[in-house]
Amino acid sequence: MATKIRLQRHGRKNYAFYPIVIADSRAPRDGKFIERIGSYNPNTNPATITLNFERALYWVNVGAQPTDTVRSILSNEGVLLMKHLQGGVKKGAFDEAEAQKRFDAWKSKKQAAVDAVKTSMADKKELAAKQRLEEEQAKNKAKADLVAKKKAEIAAAKAEAEAAANAEEEAPAAEEAPAAE
């Protein structure tokens, strides 16, 4: 029986979630499977991958063929590297401790790169939020200046109208007063 390591599609439209399964190569994509070894969620940033490393390594060692997408997932998680290192141990190129040391060094370097990308994304997000806030404050200040200018014009016009009204009231009173004398 030829086995494949493949993705099954779950989830709603435009929001897929993929369990990683071991299935007979003749079985349909979302059909019967032998074992579920993990999941892949591309909807998060970065994509969330959960994987039973030991079972994935076992199935790769017994000859299960991964699909292209699953091959890249297994490669990113280090399953294929560990298979390669185990091949070196079998050939006698180095011992099991050296293989584990090399794998741990690769895994720590990989984790450092992922953490750097995550912090970079967080910094960019924070910087973008700060920039949006500054732009909004600048727009609000410009709008407040415009409103203050309009209010000053209205107040000046109102004061001018009151001054004109006061001048008109004083002018007839001044004209009437000399006529009475």
Side-chain angles (χ1 to χ4, degrees):
M1 172 172 74
T3 56
K4 284 220 174 254
I5 305 174
R6 63 164 55 147
L7 299 176
Q8 279 190 330
R9 190 181 193 288
H10 287 235
R12 65 177 192 266
K13 185 176 179 182
N14 295 327
Y15 201 80
F17 174 83
Y18 300 95
I20 302 171
V21 297
I22 309 299
D24 183 4
S25 62
R26 298 167 293 183
R29 178 190 71 181
D30 298 335
K32 190 174 179 182
F33 61 91
I34 300 168
E35 181 180 356
R36 180 178 174 176
I37 60 170
S39 64
Y40 167 61
N41 185 1
N43 302 312
T44 59
N45 191 8
T48 306
I49 298 171
T50 56
L51 187 68
N52 184 340
F53 188 86
E54 297 300 322
R55 293 306 293 168
L57 184 61
Y58 166 78
W59 281 106
V60 169
N61 282 333
V62 296
Q65 293 297 312
T67 60
D68 293 338
T69 306
V70 174
R71 180 181 305 281
S72 68
I73 290 171
L74 295 178
S75 177
N76 288 336
E77 293 295 311
V79 174
L80 299 180
L81 175 66
M82 183 54 95
K83 180 182 184 230
H84 175 73
L85 291 173
Q86 286 178 348
V89 169
K90 285 179 186 173
K91 291 178 182 176
F94 45 84
D95 63 345
E96 184 70 36
E98 177 66 22
Q100 190 62 40
K101 187 176 106 178
R102 288 182 184 185
F103 179 76
D104 291 340
W106 175 85
K107 192 71 170 173
S108 64
K109 187 188 293 186
K110 175 96 171 143
Q111 188 61 41
V114 168
D115 291 342
V117 168
K118 283 183 180 180
T119 56
S120 170
M121 286 174 36
D123 291 345
K124 285 181 183 178
K125 189 175 183 180
E126 184 178 318
L127 183 63
K130 197 178 282 187
Q131 188 176 17
R132 282 194 311 270
L133 179 64
E134 289 172 359
E135 289 173 359
E136 186 176 343
Q137 288 174 341
K139 286 180 184 178
N140 288 344
K141 187 173 190 266
K143 192 174 257 189
D145 291 344
L146 186 62
V147 168
K149 185 178 176 184
K150 283 187 179 181
K151 283 185 178 182
E153 288 174 1
I154 292 171
K158 191 174 186 182
E160 206 175 282
E162 286 179 10
N166 287 342
E168 288 177 10
E169 288 177 11
E170 291 176 8
E175 291 175 9
E176 291 175 9
E181 292 181 11

